[in-house]
Amino acid sequence: MRVVLLGPPGAGKGTQAVELAKQFDCADVSTGEIFRGHVARGTPLGRTAREYMDRGDLVPDEVVIAMVMERLAEPDCDNGFVLDGFPRTVAQAEALDRRLAGQGTPLDAALAFEISEEELLKRLKGRAEQLHRSDDGEHTIRHRLEVFAIKTRPLIDYYRHRGLLVPVDAIGEVPEVTQRILDDLDALKAAQAARAEPTRADS
């Protein structure tokens, strides 16, 4: 299974990525973890990435694409992956499509997490207080949501046009949301299979 998770920060993508990776026995690939790992180690990329992350801005496409492509080449991704935090722009989505097409392993679905701004602010403020994350201050939270709306929303249309978009109601207990996703993925597979059947209109 090869799936990407779309949605604003705080929508629960990270939590569901872990659950889905277990369900499908595939890799959980989080760009946030990759970046924070570099920040913790003080690498040149980590220092650059932190400047963007602390402002709530997106790390430049060329940096993100290179890092993710390198990660997807690792052995644990051979059985598929759940991508959390990538793609965040259409350019990144196109780069991912080219990579997967070259391998003959196309994307199975794009899950779009849907949640109200009120609930997002509540979740992110709570996370900032618990983890003392510098990228979750109230001003930064609002900026991150603005960045998401402007730069990431076009991905919804991109994947909808490709017939891969699966809207996800992201409010509820973790197991409840996970089951919704699994049911929706089954429904998508059934719809794709139905479209693939040859027409019998002339028979």
Side-chain angles (χ1 to χ4, degrees):
M1 178 65 71
R2 291 169 296 279
V3 179
V4 298
L5 308 187
L6 308 176
K13 301 188 302 299
T15 299
Q16 291 301 325
V18 172
E19 296 300 316
L20 293 173
K22 291 177 183 176
Q23 288 282 339
F24 297 116
D25 190 25
C26 62
D28 169 16
V29 179
S30 166
T31 54
E33 289 185 5
I34 293 172
F35 290 143
R36 283 190 285 275
H38 278 273
V39 169
R41 296 194 302 273
T43 65
L45 177 60
R47 291 193 293 272
T48 300
R50 181 162 190 167
E51 293 178 6
Y52 288 92
M53 293 166 66
D54 283 352
R55 292 198 303 265
D57 288 331
L58 300 179
V59 178
D61 279 349
E62 61 271 20
V63 177
V64 180
I65 290 170
M67 292 182 67
V68 173
M69 294 306 127
E70 181 179 301
R71 176 68 182 86
L72 294 181
E74 295 182 13
D76 65 333
C77 292
D78 289 346
N79 195 43
F81 54 77
V82 179
L83 263 174
D84 169 22
F86 183 94
R88 287 188 175 179
T89 66
V90 171
Q92 292 177 9
E94 291 172 341
L96 178 63
D97 280 346
R98 288 192 295 271
R99 167 64 175 267
L100 297 179
Q103 297 177 332
T105 56
L107 197 67
D108 291 300
L111 306 180
F113 285 57
E114 300 179 342
I115 187 171
S116 68
E117 182 173 326
E118 180 182 359
E119 179 66 19
L120 283 174
L121 288 172
K122 177 182 176 182
R123 290 186 184 186
L124 289 172
K125 286 179 182 178
R127 186 169 75 181
E129 293 171 0
Q130 291 176 1
L131 304 180
H132 306 291
R133 280 181 52 170
S134 60
D135 62 333
D136 277 339
E138 183 171 355
H139 175 75
T140 304
I141 289 172
R142 292 188 179 279
H143 182 59
R144 291 171 75 193
L145 295 180
E146 291 173 1
V147 169
F148 171 79
I150 295 171
K151 295 187 177 181
T152 313
R153 281 292 182 181
L155 284 172
I156 302 297
D157 290 333
Y158 179 84
Y159 284 117
R160 180 182 290 116
H161 291 155
R162 296 191 60 217
L164 297 176
L165 190 71
V166 177
V168 175
D169 178 357
I171 298 180
E173 296 297 323
V174 172
E176 179 184 0
V177 176
T178 302
Q179 189 58 53
R180 281 183 204 147
I181 292 172
L182 296 175
D183 291 344
D184 290 341
L185 286 173
D186 285 341
L188 177 65
K189 288 180 183 178
Q192 291 172 335
R195 288 197 297 269
E197 289 182 359
T199 178
R200 298 183 180 181
D202 298 327
S203 61

